[in-house]
Amino acid sequence: MRLCLLRHAEAHPAAPGQPDAERLLTEAGQQVARQMGEALRRIRLAPGAVYTSPYRRAVQTAQAVAEALGVPVVEDRLLAPGCGPAELEALIQAYAPGETVLVVGHQPDFGELVRWLTGAAIRLPAGGLAVVETPALRERAGTLHGLYDPAWLAAVMTGQTG
């Protein structure tokens, strides 16, 4: 299975009294989300859907990516902050997606999931993507196949990748 963990793009800080779940993407974050979708389309990533945390910034990111890929968005509370291996496995079992699973969520959860699956210590920046190849989540035998930040987007979008 190819597991693609996409951290939501840059979001506004919470306004006084605003719940964290209601934070929206900045204008730059919206642009990065659209570019990520287009970059993933260009490299022919083929998930059946984009699964996302219900937090608004994650949903906005997922919608932009899903639109570019031509797939639906599925919101699930399992991907809200605090998502760990058990929640990710439950999500995958509930929806039984294909061999490529694309999820949008949060840091530090995704960094911890990558470490749990592969042993690699990472911190995803806003709009960052980690791609893990794994035979099964329970086996903890994954390989970090790629780690991409928003600068990678610019290279893909301008055709400057090698």
Side-chain angles (χ1 to χ4, degrees):
M1 165 189 343
R2 177 184 301 146
L3 179 60
C4 303
L5 302 164
L6 175 60
R7 182 180 175 196
H8 64 78
E10 179 185 270
H12 290 286
Q18 178 186 31
D20 184 50
E22 296 300 315
R23 292 174 43 214
L24 299 173
L25 295 181
T26 63
E27 194 170 310
Q30 291 173 28
Q31 180 178 349
V32 164
R34 287 189 300 271
Q35 288 176 332
M36 179 59 80
E38 180 60 25
L40 294 176
R41 185 188 66 74
R42 286 186 183 190
I43 64 168
R44 293 182 175 88
L45 186 80
V50 176
Y51 300 89
T52 185
S53 159
Y55 281 37
R56 290 188 67 191
R57 60 192 179 271
V59 171
Q60 286 180 291
T61 302
Q63 287 172 334
V65 170
E67 183 177 323
L69 296 175
V71 298
V73 172
V74 178
E75 287 182 48
D76 197 298
R77 62 179 176 72
L78 291 171
L79 291 169
C83 175
E87 290 81 11
L88 187 59
E89 186 170 21
L91 176 104
I92 290 169
Q93 288 177 351
Y95 297 106
E99 293 186 16
T100 297
V101 179
L102 175 59
V103 294
V104 179
H106 309 275
Q107 187 62 22
D109 300 340
F110 281 2
E112 291 170 6
L113 282 166
V114 168
R115 186 177 70 236
W116 188 84
L117 287 165
T118 71
I122 68 159
R123 182 186 180 286
L124 279 177
L129 174 71
V131 179
V132 174
E133 300 283 343
T134 184
L137 292 179
R138 281 190 204 136
E139 294 180 22
R140 297 178 67 173
T143 302
L144 183 60
H145 182 69
L147 189 58
Y148 308 97
D149 67 16
W152 169 77
L153 296 173
V156 169
M157 299 305 289
T158 59
Q160 296 178 4
T161 58

